[in-house]
């Protein structure tokens, strides 16, 4: 990140000079401060992109307490801070990281390690800024889509109001498409961490060999393909919420790696020996039966105990018919605005049709049906015919016998129709991986949207 401004905060003039020469040569803009008062003034006035903060000033030369006090004063400014001291210790490092520091460097510093740490923290800060607008947009959309008129959803709403302000780990259960990620976003927005990031991780989409890199990050050169520093999800979610979607799909061999950080709160970036302290609120979600996976020795019971401090089960849409009307109006408004259509309403017959449908794809399927209806409507009212649900359900309990391959093709075609050709959404609806669906689409020559 060239042209970034770095504040060097140290009472030793020689240290400031050495760092100034080193960092100026890398293209950074440098400002300096020699005492606590100057540090706070410069940080407020200049708004540097990063602070290199010595831990010992005039008060004493060994304890690091003055540096920790300055660190606390810098926290409201949301400026990344790297601590420096010639009297390093694990205890002091952990205390500094717990109070908001982003990294810890001992004097005399290793030049490459220092430059890598600065580059990584600046990159991390830039990613958080880029994600801020997206998170605000997502929060606004989710707030509009949250409907809880049915008794079962009212019970969830009451529970969420109680637990959202805490830091308790939450496990959300429910069928595909019921809105587990939407609930996670709502909990985050009602928590004390709402101003910090919400970072979602699809556990089913992470390759086994990249698991640690994705979650904890890596430094350049940590392994063969590590051509640049990477910020891990735990760092991206610092002081915010980390959402593990599809946690039941995490391979057994990787579960101990996650369990360790959940138990201790500590982890290491690949290629670094510096211990990091995780400060995140954890929310997990799955449509799997974790107790059954435990009995099959496919999921660790001790990991479940770390995840399920509070368990929330979202009911399927077929069990919350009282919400159908409000959900319909919510999505009609959303998609009318998206496609710049006039204000639409829904006919009583169409509403009745929605309530009769079994909704195997739950809210996700419901959203696609309403979106399609909005597109097909030329007047000011959505009719039952425009929902295209006439043959979607069968009340016949019998199953038509046909070749298995033909049945599979028909099921995939239906999923692709319901989701408007979106592969990721169709894969979730079919409860298979995206790659597995791609193979079948190619096999049956079915059109899809990239």
């Amino acid at each position: 990140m060239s042209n970034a401004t770095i504040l060097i905060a140290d009472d030793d003039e020689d240290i400031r000079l050495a760092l100034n020469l080193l960092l100026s040569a890398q293209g950074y803009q440098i400002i300096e401060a020699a005492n606590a008062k100057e540090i706070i003034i410069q940080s407020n006035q200049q708004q540097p992109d990063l602070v290199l903060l010595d831990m010992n000033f005039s008060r004493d030369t060994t304890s690091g307490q003055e540096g920790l006090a300055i660190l606390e004063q810098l926290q409201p400014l949301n400026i990344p801070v790297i601590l420096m001291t010639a009297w390093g210790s694990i205890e002091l490092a952990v205390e500094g990281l717990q109070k908001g520091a982003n990294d810890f460097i001992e004097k005399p510093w290793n030049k490459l390690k220092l430059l890598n740490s600065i580059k990584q923290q600046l990159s991390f800060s830039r990613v958080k800024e880029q994600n801020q607008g997206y998170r605000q947009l997502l929060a606004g959309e989710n707030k509009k889509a949250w409907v809880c008129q049915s008794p079962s959803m009212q019970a969830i709403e009451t529970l969420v109001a109680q637990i959202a302000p805490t830091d308790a780990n939450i496990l959300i259960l429910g069928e595909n498409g019921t809105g587990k990620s939407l609930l996670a976003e709502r909990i985050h927005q009602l928590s004390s961490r709402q101003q910090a990031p919400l970072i979602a991780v699809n556990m089913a989409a992470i390759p086994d060999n990249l698991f640690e890199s994705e979650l904890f990050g890596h430094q350049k050169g940590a392994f063969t393909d590590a051509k640049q520093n990477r910020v891990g999800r735990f760092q991206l979610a610092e002081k915010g919420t980390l959402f593990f979607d599809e946690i039941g799909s995490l391979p057994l061999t990787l579960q101990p790696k996650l369990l360790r950080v959940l138990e201790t709160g500590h982890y290491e970036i690949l290629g670094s020996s510096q211990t990091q302290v995780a400060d995140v609120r954890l929310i997990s979600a799955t449509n799997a039966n974790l107790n059954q996976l435990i009995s099959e020795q496919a999921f660790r019971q001790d990991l479940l105990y770390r995840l399920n401090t509070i368990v929330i089960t979202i009911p399927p849409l077929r069990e919350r018919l009282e919400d159908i009307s409000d959900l319909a109006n919510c999505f009609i408004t959303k998609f009318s605005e998206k496609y710049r259509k006039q204000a639409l309403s829904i006919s009583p017959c169409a509403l009745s049709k929605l309530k009769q449908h079994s909704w195997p794809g739950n809210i996700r399927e419901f959203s696609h049906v309403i979106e399609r209806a909005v597109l097909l409507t030329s007047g000011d009212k959505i009719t039952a015919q425009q929902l295209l649900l006439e043959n979607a359900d069968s009340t016949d309990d019998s199953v038509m016998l046909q070749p298995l391959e033909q049945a599979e093709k028909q099921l995939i075609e239906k999923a692709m129709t319901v989701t408007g050709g979106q592969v990721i959404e169709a894969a979730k609806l079919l409860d298979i991986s995206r790659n597995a669906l791609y193979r079948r689409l190619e096999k049956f020559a079915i059109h899809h949207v990239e």
Side-chain angles (χ1 to χ4, degrees), residues 7-63:
L7 170 60
I8 301 173
D10 197 301
D11 60 349
D12 188 323
E13 185 176 358
D14 291 336
I15 293 292
R16 297 200 307 273
L17 177 59
L19 287 171
N20 196 326
L21 292 173
L22 172 64
L23 300 179
S24 297
Q26 301 296 318
Y28 296 117
Q29 305 298 313
I30 304 301
I31 53 179
E32 299 182 13
N35 56 56
K37 183 178 180 180
E38 287 183 16
I39 295 168
I40 301 304
I41 292 175
Q42 292 277 37
S43 296
N44 279 281
Q45 292 181 348
Q46 303 294 331
Q47 288 291 308
D49 297 296
L50 182 139
V51 176
L52 283 174
L53 176 63
D54 186 30
M55 297 196 70
N56 297 296
F57 289 83
S58 59
R59 187 184 304 171
D60 58 60
T61 59
T62 61
S63 72

Short mmCIF file of all heavy atoms in Angstrom, two decimals, residues 7-63:
data_model
loop_
_atom_site.label_atom_id
_atom_site.label_comp_id
_atom_site.label_asym_id
_atom_site.label_seq_id
_atom_site.Cartn_x
_atom_site.Cartn_y
_atom_site.Cartn_z
N LEU A 7 2.74 6.65 11.53
CA LEU A 7 3.21 7.43 12.68
C LEU A 7 4.19 6.57 13.49
O LEU A 7 3.83 5.50 13.97
CB LEU A 7 2.03 7.84 13.56
CG LEU A 7 2.38 8.45 14.93
CD1 LEU A 7 3.20 9.72 14.76
CD2 LEU A 7 1.12 8.73 15.74
N ILE A 8 5.43 7.05 13.61
CA ILE A 8 6.45 6.38 14.42
C ILE A 8 6.42 7.03 15.80
O ILE A 8 6.77 8.20 15.95
CB ILE A 8 7.85 6.50 13.79
CG1 ILE A 8 7.85 5.89 12.39
CG2 ILE A 8 8.89 5.83 14.68
CD1 ILE A 8 9.15 6.13 11.63
N ALA A 9 6.01 6.27 16.81
CA ALA A 9 5.85 6.80 18.17
C ALA A 9 6.89 6.16 19.08
O ALA A 9 6.72 5.03 19.54
CB ALA A 9 4.44 6.53 18.68
N ASP A 10 7.99 6.89 19.32
CA ASP A 10 9.07 6.35 20.14
C ASP A 10 9.84 7.53 20.74
O ASP A 10 10.08 8.53 20.06
CB ASP A 10 10.00 5.48 19.29
CG ASP A 10 10.88 4.57 20.13
OD1 ASP A 10 11.66 5.10 20.95
OD2 ASP A 10 10.80 3.34 19.96
N ASP A 11 10.27 7.42 22.01
CA ASP A 11 11.00 8.52 22.64
C ASP A 11 12.49 8.51 22.30
O ASP A 11 13.21 9.44 22.66
CB ASP A 11 10.80 8.48 24.16
CG ASP A 11 11.30 7.19 24.78
OD1 ASP A 11 11.59 6.24 24.02
OD2 ASP A 11 11.37 7.11 26.03
N ASP A 12 12.94 7.49 21.59
CA ASP A 12 14.35 7.38 21.20
C ASP A 12 14.52 7.97 19.80
O ASP A 12 14.01 7.43 18.81
CB ASP A 12 14.79 5.92 21.23
CG ASP A 12 16.29 5.76 21.04
OD1 ASP A 12 16.88 6.52 20.25
OD2 ASP A 12 16.87 4.84 21.66
N GLU A 13 15.26 9.08 19.71
CA GLU A 13 15.43 9.76 18.43
C GLU A 13 16.13 8.87 17.40
O GLU A 13 15.81 8.91 16.21
CB GLU A 13 16.22 11.05 18.63
CG GLU A 13 16.35 11.90 17.36
CD GLU A 13 17.06 13.22 17.62
OE1 GLU A 13 17.42 13.48 18.78
OE2 GLU A 13 17.26 13.98 16.64
N ASP A 14 17.08 8.06 17.84
CA ASP A 14 17.80 7.18 16.92
C ASP A 14 16.86 6.12 16.34
O ASP A 14 16.96 5.76 15.15
CB ASP A 14 18.96 6.50 17.64
CG ASP A 14 20.07 7.48 18.00
OD1 ASP A 14 20.16 8.53 17.33
OD2 ASP A 14 20.83 7.20 18.95
N ILE A 15 15.96 5.62 17.17
CA ILE A 15 14.98 4.63 16.69
C ILE A 15 14.09 5.27 15.63
O ILE A 15 13.82 4.69 14.58
CB ILE A 15 14.13 4.09 17.86
CG1 ILE A 15 15.00 3.26 18.82
CG2 ILE A 15 12.96 3.26 17.33
CD1 ILE A 15 15.49 1.96 18.24
N ARG A 16 13.61 6.46 15.92
CA ARG A 16 12.73 7.14 14.96
C ARG A 16 13.45 7.38 13.64
O ARG A 16 12.88 7.22 12.56
CB ARG A 16 12.22 8.47 15.53
CG ARG A 16 11.35 8.32 16.78
CD ARG A 16 10.49 9.57 17.03
NE ARG A 16 11.27 10.80 17.06
CZ ARG A 16 11.86 11.29 18.14
NH1 ARG A 16 11.79 10.63 19.29
NH2 ARG A 16 12.53 12.44 18.09
N LEU A 17 14.73 7.79 13.71
CA LEU A 17 15.50 8.04 12.50
C LEU A 17 15.68 6.77 11.68
O LEU A 17 15.49 6.77 10.45
CB LEU A 17 16.86 8.63 12.86
CG LEU A 17 17.82 8.88 11.69
CD1 LEU A 17 17.21 9.85 10.69
CD2 LEU A 17 19.17 9.40 12.20
N ALA A 18 16.04 5.68 12.36
CA ALA A 18 16.26 4.41 11.66
C ALA A 18 14.98 3.94 10.97
O ALA A 18 14.99 3.50 9.81
CB ALA A 18 16.75 3.36 12.64
N LEU A 19 13.86 4.03 11.67
CA LEU A 19 12.58 3.61 11.09
C LEU A 19 12.16 4.53 9.96
O LEU A 19 11.61 4.10 8.94
CB LEU A 19 11.50 3.55 12.17
CG LEU A 19 11.58 2.38 13.16
CD1 LEU A 19 10.58 2.58 14.30
CD2 LEU A 19 11.31 1.06 12.43
N ASN A 20 12.42 5.81 10.12
CA ASN A 20 12.07 6.79 9.08
C ASN A 20 12.82 6.47 7.79
O ASN A 20 12.24 6.45 6.70
CB ASN A 20 12.42 8.20 9.56
CG ASN A 20 11.75 9.28 8.73
OD1 ASN A 20 11.56 9.11 7.53
ND2 ASN A 20 11.41 10.39 9.36
N LEU A 21 14.11 6.19 7.90
CA LEU A 21 14.92 5.87 6.71
C LEU A 21 14.43 4.57 6.06
O LEU A 21 14.31 4.48 4.83
CB LEU A 21 16.40 5.74 7.10
CG LEU A 21 17.10 7.04 7.53
CD1 LEU A 21 18.50 6.75 8.04
CD2 LEU A 21 17.14 8.03 6.36
N LEU A 22 14.14 3.57 6.89
CA LEU A 22 13.70 2.28 6.36
C LEU A 22 12.36 2.40 5.64
O LEU A 22 12.20 1.92 4.51
CB LEU A 22 13.59 1.26 7.51
CG LEU A 22 12.95 -0.10 7.16
CD1 LEU A 22 13.80 -0.84 6.15
CD2 LEU A 22 12.77 -0.92 8.43
N LEU A 23 11.41 3.05 6.28
CA LEU A 23 10.05 3.09 5.74
C LEU A 23 9.90 4.10 4.62
O LEU A 23 9.11 3.89 3.69
CB LEU A 23 9.06 3.38 6.87
CG LEU A 23 9.05 2.35 8.01
CD1 LEU A 23 8.06 2.75 9.08
CD2 LEU A 23 8.73 0.96 7.47
N SER A 24 10.64 5.20 4.67
CA SER A 24 10.60 6.18 3.57
C SER A 24 11.10 5.55 2.28
O SER A 24 10.58 5.84 1.19
CB SER A 24 11.46 7.40 3.93
OG SER A 24 10.95 8.08 5.05
N ALA A 25 12.10 4.69 2.41
CA ALA A 25 12.64 4.01 1.23
C ALA A 25 11.61 3.06 0.60
O ALA A 25 11.72 2.71 -0.58
CB ALA A 25 13.89 3.22 1.61
N GLN A 26 10.59 2.66 1.39
CA GLN A 26 9.54 1.79 0.88
C GLN A 26 8.34 2.57 0.32
O GLN A 26 7.35 1.97 -0.10
CB GLN A 26 9.05 0.86 2.01
CG GLN A 26 10.12 -0.01 2.62
CD GLN A 26 10.69 -1.00 1.62
OE1 GLN A 26 9.95 -1.60 0.84
NE2 GLN A 26 12.02 -1.17 1.63
N GLY A 27 8.46 3.91 0.33
CA GLY A 27 7.39 4.73 -0.24
C GLY A 27 6.37 5.23 0.76
O GLY A 27 5.38 5.87 0.38
N TYR A 28 6.57 4.96 2.05
CA TYR A 28 5.61 5.40 3.06
C TYR A 28 5.86 6.86 3.45
O TYR A 28 7.01 7.33 3.46
CB TYR A 28 5.70 4.53 4.31
CG TYR A 28 5.33 3.08 4.07
CD1 TYR A 28 6.26 2.06 4.25
CD2 TYR A 28 4.04 2.73 3.68
CE1 TYR A 28 5.93 0.74 4.04
CE2 TYR A 28 3.69 1.40 3.46
CZ TYR A 28 4.65 0.40 3.65
OH TYR A 28 4.32 -0.91 3.43
N GLN A 29 4.79 7.57 3.79
CA GLN A 29 4.89 8.92 4.33
C GLN A 29 5.03 8.80 5.85
O GLN A 29 4.26 8.08 6.49
CB GLN A 29 3.64 9.74 3.98
CG GLN A 29 3.34 9.81 2.49
CD GLN A 29 4.45 10.46 1.70
OE1 GLN A 29 4.94 11.52 2.11
NE2 GLN A 29 4.85 9.85 0.59
N ILE A 30 5.98 9.52 6.44
CA ILE A 30 6.30 9.33 7.86
C ILE A 30 6.01 10.59 8.67
O ILE A 30 6.34 11.70 8.25
CB ILE A 30 7.79 8.95 8.04
CG1 ILE A 30 8.12 7.69 7.22
CG2 ILE A 30 8.10 8.73 9.51
CD1 ILE A 30 7.31 6.47 7.59
N ILE A 31 5.38 10.40 9.83
CA ILE A 31 5.28 11.44 10.84
C ILE A 31 5.79 10.84 12.14
O ILE A 31 5.78 9.62 12.31
CB ILE A 31 3.84 11.98 11.01
CG1 ILE A 31 2.85 10.83 11.26
CG2 ILE A 31 3.41 12.78 9.81
CD1 ILE A 31 1.43 11.30 11.45
N GLU A 32 6.26 11.69 13.05
CA GLU A 32 6.90 11.20 14.27
C GLU A 32 6.27 11.81 15.52
O GLU A 32 5.71 12.91 15.47
CB GLU A 32 8.40 11.50 14.24
CG GLU A 32 9.14 10.85 13.10
CD GLU A 32 10.64 11.14 13.13
OE1 GLU A 32 11.12 11.64 14.18
OE2 GLU A 32 11.32 10.90 12.12
N ALA A 33 6.40 11.08 16.63
CA ALA A 33 5.96 11.57 17.93
C ALA A 33 6.86 10.98 18.99
O ALA A 33 7.21 9.79 18.93
CB ALA A 33 4.51 11.19 18.20
N ALA A 34 7.25 11.81 19.98
CA ALA A 34 8.24 11.38 20.97
C ALA A 34 7.65 11.12 22.35
O ALA A 34 8.34 10.60 23.22
CB ALA A 34 9.35 12.43 21.08
N ASN A 35 6.38 11.49 22.56
CA ASN A 35 5.78 11.25 23.88
C ASN A 35 4.28 11.02 23.72
O ASN A 35 3.72 11.19 22.62
CB ASN A 35 6.05 12.42 24.82
CG ASN A 35 5.58 13.75 24.26
OD1 ASN A 35 4.42 13.92 23.92
ND2 ASN A 35 6.51 14.71 24.14
N ALA A 36 3.64 10.67 24.83
CA ALA A 36 2.23 10.28 24.78
C ALA A 36 1.34 11.40 24.25
O ALA A 36 0.44 11.16 23.44
CB ALA A 36 1.78 9.87 26.19
N LYS A 37 1.60 12.64 24.69
CA LYS A 37 0.78 13.76 24.25
C LYS A 37 0.88 13.96 22.74
O LYS A 37 -0.12 14.15 22.05
CB LYS A 37 1.19 15.03 24.99
CG LYS A 37 0.32 16.24 24.65
CD LYS A 37 0.76 17.45 25.46
CE LYS A 37 -0.12 18.67 25.13
NZ LYS A 37 0.28 19.87 25.92
N GLU A 38 2.11 13.93 22.22
CA GLU A 38 2.31 14.11 20.78
C GLU A 38 1.63 13.00 19.99
O GLU A 38 1.08 13.23 18.90
CB GLU A 38 3.81 14.13 20.45
CG GLU A 38 4.53 15.38 20.88
CD GLU A 38 5.98 15.36 20.45
OE1 GLU A 38 6.34 14.53 19.59
OE2 GLU A 38 6.78 16.16 20.98
N ILE A 39 1.69 11.78 20.51
CA ILE A 39 1.08 10.64 19.81
C ILE A 39 -0.41 10.85 19.61
O ILE A 39 -0.95 10.68 18.51
CB ILE A 39 1.33 9.33 20.59
CG1 ILE A 39 2.82 9.01 20.62
CG2 ILE A 39 0.56 8.17 19.96
CD1 ILE A 39 3.18 7.91 21.59
N ILE A 40 -1.09 11.25 20.68
CA ILE A 40 -2.54 11.44 20.60
C ILE A 40 -2.89 12.61 19.69
O ILE A 40 -3.81 12.54 18.87
CB ILE A 40 -3.13 11.66 22.01
CG1 ILE A 40 -2.81 10.45 22.91
CG2 ILE A 40 -4.64 11.86 21.93
CD1 ILE A 40 -3.27 9.12 22.37
N ILE A 41 -2.13 13.72 19.81
CA ILE A 41 -2.39 14.89 18.97
C ILE A 41 -2.18 14.55 17.49
O ILE A 41 -3.03 14.85 16.64
CB ILE A 41 -1.49 16.07 19.39
CG1 ILE A 41 -1.90 16.58 20.78
CG2 ILE A 41 -1.57 17.20 18.37
CD1 ILE A 41 -0.98 17.66 21.32
N GLN A 42 -1.04 13.93 17.16
CA GLN A 42 -0.74 13.59 15.76
C GLN A 42 -1.76 12.60 15.20
O GLN A 42 -2.18 12.71 14.04
CB GLN A 42 0.67 12.99 15.67
CG GLN A 42 1.79 13.98 15.96
CD GLN A 42 2.15 14.82 14.73
OE1 GLN A 42 1.28 15.20 13.96
NE2 GLN A 42 3.41 15.12 14.57
N SER A 43 -2.16 11.65 16.02
CA SER A 43 -3.12 10.63 15.55
C SER A 43 -4.47 11.26 15.24
O SER A 43 -5.11 10.90 14.24
CB SER A 43 -3.28 9.54 16.61
OG SER A 43 -2.07 8.84 16.81
N ASN A 44 -4.90 12.21 16.07
CA ASN A 44 -6.18 12.87 15.82
C ASN A 44 -6.12 13.83 14.65
O ASN A 44 -7.05 13.91 13.85
CB ASN A 44 -6.63 13.62 17.08
CG ASN A 44 -7.29 12.71 18.11
OD1 ASN A 44 -8.47 12.36 17.97
ND2 ASN A 44 -6.55 12.32 19.12
N GLN A 45 -5.01 14.55 14.53
CA GLN A 45 -4.91 15.57 13.48
C GLN A 45 -4.54 14.98 12.12
O GLN A 45 -5.11 15.36 11.09
CB GLN A 45 -3.89 16.64 13.88
CG GLN A 45 -4.31 17.49 15.06
CD GLN A 45 -3.28 18.56 15.41
OE1 GLN A 45 -2.14 18.53 14.92
NE2 GLN A 45 -3.66 19.50 16.25
N GLN A 46 -3.58 14.06 12.11
CA GLN A 46 -3.06 13.53 10.85
C GLN A 46 -3.79 12.28 10.36
O GLN A 46 -3.71 11.95 9.17
CB GLN A 46 -1.57 13.22 11.00
CG GLN A 46 -0.72 14.41 11.42
CD GLN A 46 -0.68 15.49 10.36
OE1 GLN A 46 -0.80 15.22 9.18
NE2 GLN A 46 -0.50 16.74 10.80
N GLN A 47 -4.48 11.58 11.27
CA GLN A 47 -5.17 10.33 10.91
C GLN A 47 -4.26 9.39 10.11
O GLN A 47 -4.54 9.07 8.94
CB GLN A 47 -6.43 10.64 10.11
CG GLN A 47 -7.56 11.25 10.94
CD GLN A 47 -8.16 10.25 11.93
OE1 GLN A 47 -8.54 9.15 11.57
NE2 GLN A 47 -8.21 10.63 13.20
N PRO A 48 -3.15 8.96 10.69
CA PRO A 48 -2.24 8.06 9.96
C PRO A 48 -2.91 6.73 9.64
O PRO A 48 -3.90 6.35 10.28
CB PRO A 48 -1.08 7.88 10.94
CG PRO A 48 -1.69 8.10 12.29
CD PRO A 48 -2.71 9.18 12.09
N ASP A 49 -2.36 6.04 8.66
CA ASP A 49 -2.90 4.74 8.28
C ASP A 49 -2.45 3.63 9.23
O ASP A 49 -3.08 2.57 9.29
CB ASP A 49 -2.47 4.39 6.85
CG ASP A 49 -3.02 5.39 5.85
OD1 ASP A 49 -4.26 5.45 5.71
OD2 ASP A 49 -2.22 6.11 5.24
N LEU A 50 -1.36 3.90 9.96
CA LEU A 50 -0.84 2.89 10.89
C LEU A 50 0.06 3.56 11.91
O LEU A 50 0.71 4.57 11.60
CB LEU A 50 -0.07 1.80 10.13
CG LEU A 50 0.49 0.63 10.94
CD1 LEU A 50 0.31 -0.69 10.19
CD2 LEU A 50 1.98 0.83 11.23
N VAL A 51 0.10 3.04 13.13
CA VAL A 51 0.96 3.57 14.19
C VAL A 51 1.93 2.48 14.63
O VAL A 51 1.52 1.36 14.96
CB VAL A 51 0.15 4.05 15.40
CG1 VAL A 51 1.09 4.50 16.53
CG2 VAL A 51 -0.78 5.20 15.01
N LEU A 52 3.24 2.81 14.61
CA LEU A 52 4.27 1.96 15.24
C LEU A 52 4.49 2.53 16.63
O LEU A 52 5.07 3.61 16.79
CB LEU A 52 5.57 2.00 14.42
CG LEU A 52 5.60 1.18 13.14
CD1 LEU A 52 6.90 1.44 12.39
CD2 LEU A 52 5.47 -0.30 13.43
N LEU A 53 4.03 1.82 17.64
CA LEU A 53 3.98 2.37 19.00
C LEU A 53 4.96 1.68 19.94
O LEU A 53 4.85 0.48 20.20
CB LEU A 53 2.55 2.22 19.55
CG LEU A 53 2.32 2.65 21.00
CD1 LEU A 53 2.59 4.14 21.16
CD2 LEU A 53 0.89 2.31 21.43
N ASP A 54 5.91 2.47 20.45
CA ASP A 54 6.80 1.96 21.49
C ASP A 54 5.98 1.74 22.76
O ASP A 54 5.00 2.45 23.02
CB ASP A 54 7.93 2.97 21.75
CG ASP A 54 8.97 2.42 22.72
OD1 ASP A 54 9.17 1.19 22.73
OD2 ASP A 54 9.57 3.22 23.45
N MET A 55 6.38 0.78 23.58
CA MET A 55 5.59 0.46 24.77
C MET A 55 6.14 1.09 26.04
O MET A 55 5.51 1.01 27.10
CB MET A 55 5.50 -1.06 24.95
CG MET A 55 4.77 -1.74 23.80
SD MET A 55 4.25 -3.40 24.19
CE MET A 55 2.96 -3.08 25.40
N ASN A 56 7.32 1.71 25.97
CA ASN A 56 7.92 2.28 27.17
C ASN A 56 8.40 3.71 26.89
O ASN A 56 9.20 3.93 25.98
CB ASN A 56 9.09 1.43 27.64
CG ASN A 56 8.64 0.03 28.03
OD1 ASN A 56 7.88 -0.16 28.96
ND2 ASN A 56 9.11 -0.96 27.28
N PHE A 57 7.90 4.66 27.69
CA PHE A 57 8.29 6.05 27.53
C PHE A 57 8.89 6.56 28.85
O PHE A 57 9.68 5.89 29.49
CB PHE A 57 7.08 6.89 27.09
CG PHE A 57 6.67 6.61 25.67
CD1 PHE A 57 5.86 5.52 25.38
CD2 PHE A 57 7.12 7.41 24.62
CE1 PHE A 57 5.48 5.25 24.07
CE2 PHE A 57 6.76 7.14 23.32
CZ PHE A 57 5.94 6.06 23.04
N SER A 58 8.45 7.72 29.31
CA SER A 58 9.09 8.35 30.46
C SER A 58 8.74 7.69 31.79
O SER A 58 9.49 7.79 32.76
CB SER A 58 8.70 9.83 30.51
OG SER A 58 7.28 9.96 30.59
N ARG A 59 7.58 7.03 31.87
CA ARG A 59 7.15 6.49 33.15
C ARG A 59 8.09 5.41 33.65
O ARG A 59 8.49 5.36 34.79
CB ARG A 59 5.72 5.94 33.03
CG ARG A 59 5.13 5.49 34.36
CD ARG A 59 3.75 4.86 34.16
NE ARG A 59 2.85 5.79 33.47
CZ ARG A 59 1.64 5.42 33.02
NH1 ARG A 59 1.24 4.17 33.18
NH2 ARG A 59 0.88 6.29 32.42
N ASP A 60 8.47 4.48 32.80
CA ASP A 60 9.46 3.47 33.12
C ASP A 60 9.98 2.90 31.81
O ASP A 60 9.58 3.32 30.74
CB ASP A 60 8.89 2.35 34.01
CG ASP A 60 7.69 1.66 33.37
OD1 ASP A 60 7.88 1.10 32.27
OD2 ASP A 60 6.60 1.66 33.97
N THR A 61 10.89 1.95 31.89
CA THR A 61 11.52 1.44 30.67
C THR A 61 11.29 -0.05 30.45
O THR A 61 11.83 -0.62 29.51
CB THR A 61 13.04 1.68 30.71
OG1 THR A 61 13.58 1.01 31.87
CG2 THR A 61 13.34 3.16 30.78
N THR A 62 10.50 -0.70 31.30
CA THR A 62 10.39 -2.15 31.17
C THR A 62 8.97 -2.69 31.20
O THR A 62 8.70 -3.73 30.63
CB THR A 62 11.17 -2.85 32.30
OG1 THR A 62 10.63 -2.46 33.57
CG2 THR A 62 12.65 -2.50 32.23
N SER A 63 8.04 -2.04 31.87
CA SER A 63 6.73 -2.67 32.12
C SER A 63 5.82 -2.68 30.91
O SER A 63 4.97 -3.54 30.77
CB SER A 63 6.02 -1.96 33.28
OG SER A 63 5.55 -0.68 32.87
#
